Amino acid sequence: MAKSRFEYVKSFEQNDSCLPNCWLVVRIDGKGFHRFSEVHHFVKPNDDRALQLMSRAAQCVMEEFKDIILCYGQSDEYSFVFKKNTQLYCRRASKLMTNVVSLFASSFVFIWPQYFSSQELQYPPAFDARIVCYPSDQNLKDYFSWRQADCHINNLYNTCFWKLVQEKGLTPAQSQEKLKGTLSSDKNEILFTEFNINYNNLPEIYRKGTILIRQKKGNTESQTPSCTTSSYYCQQNKKTRPRISMLHVDIIGNSFWNEHPELLE
Ligand code: ATP
Ligand code: ATP
Ligand code: MG
Ligand code: MG
Ligand code: MG
Ligand code: MG
Ligand code: MG
């Protein structure tokens, strides 16, 4: 196409390509999901439908972008790691980030009815995104440790908070006041003595979040459930759908990384 005299405006665009040879991590997070979860009557503290929907939307992103090697999700957030040497979109930060977050958001809306069959979507949800380059394997591992520790801290707090509200009849303000300044050990103690709950026996998906990794060839165990609808989208993807495993395990210690050495290769 012939160049117009307006073409010069293109030169105002900034080069935002990410550093070479670094892990690229995109994290998306629901905008105002405190409110979104109330409007859509999420079960508190953990709505299983919402957690499954988030993971299914993340799986759609992973199916589309083959250079994503690992995803980690909890609450209203998901992180996606692109392999170190990805050349997708010439590593342009804005291209990577916006493609991930927009596909995530549209998938979330597209498959909403599969998970919330009796709860209509009340308004279009939005997600923010950021991209960060991590130069070393240790930085990447620490990134996931950070997110999983966050999952644990929030879940312990939220579990206590909602037990006090739902079973002891405290108002949210009273519950918050009661938990102010408490340590993890105090919260474990409240759960145990007041509600006979051993925190460590709660489902791992709540305590550890969700990890998605690609299955090694020939391995068919613990595969995520394949699509149950007969929609065009699913039909189209059935044959080529890569096998993805869903795990709810510790990612802070070394065992996860030792069991999956191919991830850091
Ligand atoms: P921001 O726009 O700054 O991200 P936010 O309201 O989304 O604001 P977050 O810190 O991201 O705040 O917290 C997400 C909130 O969404 C949680 O506090 C929780 O109330 C709610 N939430 C997310 N997922 C679930 C779930 N599966 N079950 C119940 N509540 C959830
Ligand atoms: P990229 O992912 O790089 O953006 P692309 O295929 O989206 O690749 P674009 O340069 O964005 O390429 O061009 C968008 C294309 O979408 C157009 O070339 C045209 O073929 C098609 N298209 C978009 N809007 C319409 C429309 N309203 N009617 C017909 N075709 C359209
Ligand atoms: Mg926030
Ligand atoms: Mg949020
Ligand atoms: Mg969040
Ligand atoms: Mg275009
Ligand atoms: Mg286009």
Side-chain angles (χ1 to χ4, degrees):
M1 219 187 287
K3 286 192 173 186
S4 72
R5 68 191 170 86
F6 308 116
E7 187 90 6
Y8 80 96
V9 296
K10 178 88 181 147
S11 69
F12 283 56
E13 289 183 12
Q14 305 267 320
N15 174 4
D16 66 347
S17 60
C18 294
L19 277 178
N21 208 40
C22 290
W23 299 106
L24 304 183
V25 178
V26 175
R27 181 167 77 257
I28 64 92
D29 184 287
K31 175 177 181 286
F33 263 46
H34 186 75
R35 171 166 173 261
F36 184 87
S37 65
E38 281 175 6
V39 169
H40 294 89
H41 308 290
F42 281 18
V43 175
K44 293 289 183 174
N46 291 292
D47 188 294
D48 290 321
R49 300 164 302 177
L51 293 174
Q52 286 168 16
L53 172 58
M54 288 290 292
S55 293
R56 186 68 191 93
Q59 204 184 329
C60 291
V61 173
M62 207 179 185
E63 284 167 5
E64 177 65 24
F65 297 107
K66 312 291 184 211
D67 282 358
I68 293 174
I69 57 152
L70 169 70
C71 312
Y72 174 74
Q74 52 126 335
S75 183
D76 67 339
E77 69 169 63
Y78 242 98
S79 298
F80 302 85
V81 190
F82 285 88
K83 65 182 190 188
K84 258 172 131 162
N85 60 354
T86 185
Q87 291 310 314
L88 189 60
Y89 301 118
C90 302
R91 300 173 74 85
R92 288 166 63 192
S94 53
K95 284 277 191 179
L96 292 168
M97 201 163 50
T98 57
N99 273 287
V100 166
V101 72
S102 67
L103 182 58
F104 185 93
S106 62
S107 301
F108 184 96
V109 169
F110 193 66
I111 60 187
W112 171 274
Q114 288 179 32
Y115 294 89
F116 284 87
S117 48
S118 58
Q119 170 62 62
E120 220 174 302
L121 194 55
Q122 299 296 304
Y123 61 89
F127 294 83
D128 69 25
R130 70 200 68 193
I131 187 165
V132 184
C133 309
Y134 289 111
S136 75
D137 293 358
Q138 193 58 51
N139 293 151
L140 186 72
K141 290 179 184 177
D142 290 344
Y143 173 80
F144 286 107
S145 299
W146 174 51
R147 295 326 301 152
Q148 192 168 61
D150 185 82
C151 175
H152 162 70
I153 292 163
N154 289 331
N155 186 55
L156 180 58
Y157 180 89
N158 290 335
T159 304
C160 281
F161 177 90
W162 286 106
K163 278 282 163 201
L164 290 167
V165 170
Q166 292 162 349
E167 293 187 17
K168 288 268 143 87
L170 269 63
T171 65
Q174 288 168 332
S175 182
Q176 193 182 4
E177 186 58 32
K178 173 152 172 143
L179 294 175
K180 211 160 109 185
T182 55
L183 305 172
S184 284
S185 53
D186 301 325
K187 289 191 264 291
N188 274 305
E189 189 61 22
I190 290 174
L191 285 177
F192 193 70
T193 56
E194 299 197 29
F195 303 102
N196 198 24
I197 289 174
N198 184 341
Y199 180 77
N200 291 321
N201 292 341
L202 293 179
E204 294 209 292
I205 184 172
Y206 304 158
R207 292 183 291 119
K208 307 227 182 287
T210 301
I211 299 162
L212 301 179
I213 50 173
R214 294 181 194 284
Q215 279 176 13
K216 293 171 215 167
K217 282 210 176 70
N219 181 359
T220 52
E221 61 181 338
S222 70
Q223 196 181 326
T224 53
S226 56
C227 224
T228 49
T229 70
S230 57
S231 69
Y232 169 73
Y233 173 82
C234 294
Q235 289 297 336
Q236 205 194 22
N237 279 271
K238 226 169 219 166
K239 280 202 198 82
T240 52
R241 169 161 290 169
R243 294 165 181 277
I244 294 171
S245 296
M246 188 182 287
L247 309 169
H248 311 290
V249 299
D250 179 82
I251 201 171
I252 297 175
N254 283 323
S255 64
F256 171 81
W257 301 104
N258 290 340
E259 278 166 35
H260 302 281
E262 71 284 356
L263 290 172
L264 298 179
E265 266 161 19

